[in-house]
Amino acid sequence: MSEAHAPVESAAEEPDYFEVLVESMRELLVAKGLIGAGEVRAMVETLDAHDPTIGAALVARAWVDADFRARLRDDATAVVEQSGIDNYDQARFVVLEQTPDTHNLVVCTLCSCYPRALLGLPPDWYKSRPYRSRAVREPRAVLAGFGTDVADEVRIRVHDSNANMRYLVMPMRPAGTDGWTQEQLAALVTRDSMIGVSRARTP
Ligand code: FE
């Protein structure tokens, strides 16, 4: 977009409350020797290095490799760490498999806990109060809002994440993908399908 090249406004305005708070915290932590000046930047780099393609690769491999799928089901945390993925916030992972009978949906009712090492940073709606409260009270309506209709006979299970336990939903493999490579399949696995608000893309 051409707006990316628009001139940056000079900082005539006062910084807002949160900018002052963040900068003060950073200066205090550095001054007290609790963090190094480069650590915040390094953490931002780590956060930026993680995105949904990491989770999608795990799902696609599980679709084509039954042993891998079984290992993921048994101990997803171990598989993640053995796969060379940087589990930088030392989360414990649980993989939830979508089935024809059960649709899994993930929320953090308290805040924004999320499998960041596998999906990157959560979308804004995931952190919003309406999603956090409605996902538990009326999951079927929330899913419908995402364009995901779940039949009445399909059970919906809502999983509440916390600081130690992060859920990754494994969507069902779409029909019409026989013989597809892992890379082709991974392109069908969206972020939202790994949160459970939608299904994998269909070819
Ligand atoms: Fe949280």
Side-chain angles (χ1 to χ4, degrees), residues 76-91:
T77 314
V79 173
V80 165
E81 286 169 357
Q82 287 155 14
S83 303
I85 297 165
D86 176 16
N87 186 12
Y88 63 88
D89 50 1
Q90 283 98 50

PDB file of all heavy atoms in Angstrom, residues 76-91:
ATOM      1  N   ALA A  76       2.560 -33.718  23.073  1.00  0.00           N
ATOM      2  CA  ALA A  76       2.830 -32.692  22.067  1.00  0.00           C
ATOM      3  C   ALA A  76       4.034 -31.837  22.453  1.00  0.00           C
ATOM      4  O   ALA A  76       4.801 -31.413  21.587  1.00  0.00           O
ATOM      5  CB  ALA A  76       1.598 -31.815  21.857  1.00  0.00           C
ATOM      6  N   THR A  77       4.211 -31.606  23.741  1.00  0.00           N
ATOM      7  CA  THR A  77       5.332 -30.767  24.180  1.00  0.00           C
ATOM      8  C   THR A  77       6.657 -31.384  23.752  1.00  0.00           C
ATOM      9  O   THR A  77       7.544 -30.694  23.232  1.00  0.00           O
ATOM     10  CB  THR A  77       5.307 -30.602  25.714  1.00  0.00           C
ATOM     11  OG1 THR A  77       3.979 -30.288  26.107  1.00  0.00           O
ATOM     12  CG2 THR A  77       6.255 -29.509  26.164  1.00  0.00           C
ATOM     13  N   ALA A  78       6.785 -32.702  23.969  1.00  0.00           N
ATOM     14  CA  ALA A  78       8.028 -33.385  23.588  1.00  0.00           C
ATOM     15  C   ALA A  78       8.240 -33.315  22.082  1.00  0.00           C
ATOM     16  O   ALA A  78       9.356 -33.049  21.620  1.00  0.00           O
ATOM     17  CB  ALA A  78       7.989 -34.838  24.062  1.00  0.00           C
ATOM     18  N   VAL A  79       7.174 -33.530  21.322  1.00  0.00           N
ATOM     19  CA  VAL A  79       7.300 -33.494  19.860  1.00  0.00           C
ATOM     20  C   VAL A  79       7.735 -32.109  19.396  1.00  0.00           C
ATOM     21  O   VAL A  79       8.606 -31.969  18.544  1.00  0.00           O
ATOM     22  CB  VAL A  79       5.970 -33.897  19.182  1.00  0.00           C
ATOM     23  CG1 VAL A  79       6.048 -33.684  17.678  1.00  0.00           C
ATOM     24  CG2 VAL A  79       5.632 -35.339  19.507  1.00  0.00           C
ATOM     25  N   VAL A  80       7.123 -31.084  19.980  1.00  0.00           N
ATOM     26  CA  VAL A  80       7.487 -29.705  19.609  1.00  0.00           C
ATOM     27  C   VAL A  80       8.975 -29.489  19.858  1.00  0.00           C
ATOM     28  O   VAL A  80       9.705 -28.983  18.998  1.00  0.00           O
ATOM     29  CB  VAL A  80       6.639 -28.689  20.414  1.00  0.00           C
ATOM     30  CG1 VAL A  80       7.234 -27.293  20.341  1.00  0.00           C
ATOM     31  CG2 VAL A  80       5.200 -28.686  19.896  1.00  0.00           C
ATOM     32  N   GLU A  81       9.429 -29.893  21.022  1.00  0.00           N
ATOM     33  CA  GLU A  81      10.833 -29.633  21.350  1.00  0.00           C
ATOM     34  C   GLU A  81      11.771 -30.490  20.499  1.00  0.00           C
ATOM     35  O   GLU A  81      12.818 -30.024  20.059  1.00  0.00           O
ATOM     36  CB  GLU A  81      11.048 -29.785  22.859  1.00  0.00           C
ATOM     37  CG  GLU A  81      10.435 -28.555  23.555  1.00  0.00           C
ATOM     38  CD  GLU A  81      10.319 -28.638  25.067  1.00  0.00           C
ATOM     39  OE1 GLU A  81      10.669 -29.695  25.635  1.00  0.00           O
ATOM     40  OE2 GLU A  81       9.862 -27.648  25.675  1.00  0.00           O
ATOM     41  N   GLN A  82      11.362 -31.731  20.199  1.00  0.00           N
ATOM     42  CA  GLN A  82      12.195 -32.578  19.334  1.00  0.00           C
ATOM     43  C   GLN A  82      12.207 -32.074  17.891  1.00  0.00           C
ATOM     44  O   GLN A  82      13.122 -32.388  17.137  1.00  0.00           O
ATOM     45  CB  GLN A  82      11.673 -34.026  19.355  1.00  0.00           C
ATOM     46  CG  GLN A  82      11.976 -34.759  20.650  1.00  0.00           C
ATOM     47  CD  GLN A  82      10.990 -35.900  20.919  1.00  0.00           C
ATOM     48  OE1 GLN A  82      10.245 -36.309  20.028  1.00  0.00           O
ATOM     49  NE2 GLN A  82      10.985 -36.399  22.148  1.00  0.00           N
ATOM     50  N   SER A  83      11.180 -31.310  17.522  1.00  0.00           N
ATOM     51  CA  SER A  83      11.115 -30.797  16.149  1.00  0.00           C
ATOM     52  C   SER A  83      11.995 -29.574  15.944  1.00  0.00           C
ATOM     53  O   SER A  83      12.018 -29.004  14.853  1.00  0.00           O
ATOM     54  CB  SER A  83       9.673 -30.439  15.788  1.00  0.00           C
ATOM     55  OG  SER A  83       8.832 -31.554  15.941  1.00  0.00           O
ATOM     56  N   GLY A  84      12.687 -29.157  17.002  1.00  0.00           N
ATOM     57  CA  GLY A  84      13.576 -28.005  16.865  1.00  0.00           C
ATOM     58  C   GLY A  84      12.852 -26.673  16.942  1.00  0.00           C
ATOM     59  O   GLY A  84      13.420 -25.631  16.625  1.00  0.00           O
ATOM     60  N   ILE A  85      11.574 -26.702  17.365  1.00  0.00           N
ATOM     61  CA  ILE A  85      10.830 -25.444  17.535  1.00  0.00           C
ATOM     62  C   ILE A  85      11.244 -24.823  18.870  1.00  0.00           C
ATOM     63  O   ILE A  85      11.330 -25.511  19.877  1.00  0.00           O
ATOM     64  CB  ILE A  85       9.307 -25.718  17.518  1.00  0.00           C
ATOM     65  CG1 ILE A  85       8.894 -26.282  16.150  1.00  0.00           C
ATOM     66  CG2 ILE A  85       8.520 -24.464  17.862  1.00  0.00           C
ATOM     67  CD1 ILE A  85       7.515 -26.923  16.141  1.00  0.00           C
ATOM     68  N   ASP A  86      11.520 -23.538  18.845  1.00  0.00           N
ATOM     69  CA  ASP A  86      11.930 -22.829  20.058  1.00  0.00           C
ATOM     70  C   ASP A  86      10.702 -22.610  20.952  1.00  0.00           C
ATOM     71  O   ASP A  86       9.879 -21.746  20.673  1.00  0.00           O
ATOM     72  CB  ASP A  86      12.574 -21.490  19.646  1.00  0.00           C
ATOM     73  CG  ASP A  86      12.948 -20.633  20.846  1.00  0.00           C
ATOM     74  OD1 ASP A  86      13.002 -21.174  21.974  1.00  0.00           O
ATOM     75  OD2 ASP A  86      13.187 -19.426  20.644  1.00  0.00           O
ATOM     76  N   ASN A  87      10.601 -23.389  21.999  1.00  0.00           N
ATOM     77  CA  ASN A  87       9.482 -23.251  22.949  1.00  0.00           C
ATOM     78  C   ASN A  87       9.877 -22.185  23.965  1.00  0.00           C
ATOM     79  O   ASN A  87      10.096 -22.455  25.136  1.00  0.00           O
ATOM     80  CB  ASN A  87       9.211 -24.601  23.617  1.00  0.00           C
ATOM     81  CG  ASN A  87       7.975 -24.563  24.503  1.00  0.00           C
ATOM     82  OD1 ASN A  87       7.191 -23.610  24.469  1.00  0.00           O
ATOM     83  ND2 ASN A  87       7.806 -25.604  25.307  1.00  0.00           N
ATOM     84  N   TYR A  88       9.919 -20.942  23.494  1.00  0.00           N
ATOM     85  CA  TYR A  88      10.593 -19.879  24.258  1.00  0.00           C
ATOM     86  C   TYR A  88       9.875 -19.492  25.530  1.00  0.00           C
ATOM     87  O   TYR A  88      10.480 -18.954  26.427  1.00  0.00           O
ATOM     88  CB  TYR A  88      10.824 -18.645  23.370  1.00  0.00           C
ATOM     89  CG  TYR A  88       9.550 -18.010  22.868  1.00  0.00           C
ATOM     90  CD1 TYR A  88       8.894 -17.038  23.617  1.00  0.00           C
ATOM     91  CD2 TYR A  88       8.993 -18.379  21.649  1.00  0.00           C
ATOM     92  CE1 TYR A  88       7.725 -16.462  23.167  1.00  0.00           C
ATOM     93  CE2 TYR A  88       7.834 -17.810  21.191  1.00  0.00           C
ATOM     94  CZ  TYR A  88       7.197 -16.845  21.959  1.00  0.00           C
ATOM     95  OH  TYR A  88       6.034 -16.296  21.506  1.00  0.00           O
ATOM     96  N   ASP A  89       8.560 -19.774  25.615  1.00  0.00           N
ATOM     97  CA  ASP A  89       7.908 -19.447  26.891  1.00  0.00           C
ATOM     98  C   ASP A  89       7.610 -20.705  27.717  1.00  0.00           C
ATOM     99  O   ASP A  89       6.791 -20.676  28.620  1.00  0.00           O
ATOM    100  CB  ASP A  89       6.682 -18.549  26.716  1.00  0.00           C
ATOM    101  CG  ASP A  89       5.696 -19.055  25.668  1.00  0.00           C
ATOM    102  OD1 ASP A  89       5.946 -20.131  25.082  1.00  0.00           O
ATOM    103  OD2 ASP A  89       4.690 -18.375  25.448  1.00  0.00           O
ATOM    104  N   GLN A  90       8.324 -21.787  27.389  1.00  0.00           N
ATOM    105  CA  GLN A  90       8.245 -23.034  28.160  1.00  0.00           C
ATOM    106  C   GLN A  90       6.807 -23.474  28.412  1.00  0.00           C
ATOM    107  O   GLN A  90       6.427 -23.833  29.526  1.00  0.00           O
ATOM    108  CB  GLN A  90       8.974 -22.909  29.511  1.00  0.00           C
ATOM    109  CG  GLN A  90      10.478 -22.985  29.410  1.00  0.00           C
ATOM    110  CD  GLN A  90      11.097 -21.597  29.397  1.00  0.00           C
ATOM    111  OE1 GLN A  90      10.779 -20.776  30.243  1.00  0.00           O
ATOM    112  NE2 GLN A  90      11.958 -21.334  28.428  1.00  0.00           N
ATOM    113  N   ALA A  91       6.011 -23.413  27.353  1.00  0.00           N
ATOM    114  CA  ALA A  91       4.618 -23.805  27.492  1.00  0.00           C
ATOM    115  C   ALA A  91       4.501 -25.318  27.389  1.00  0.00           C
ATOM    116  O   ALA A  91       5.356 -25.992  26.824  1.00  0.00           O
ATOM    117  CB  ALA A  91       3.792 -23.153  26.387  1.00  0.00           C
TER     118      ALA A  91
END
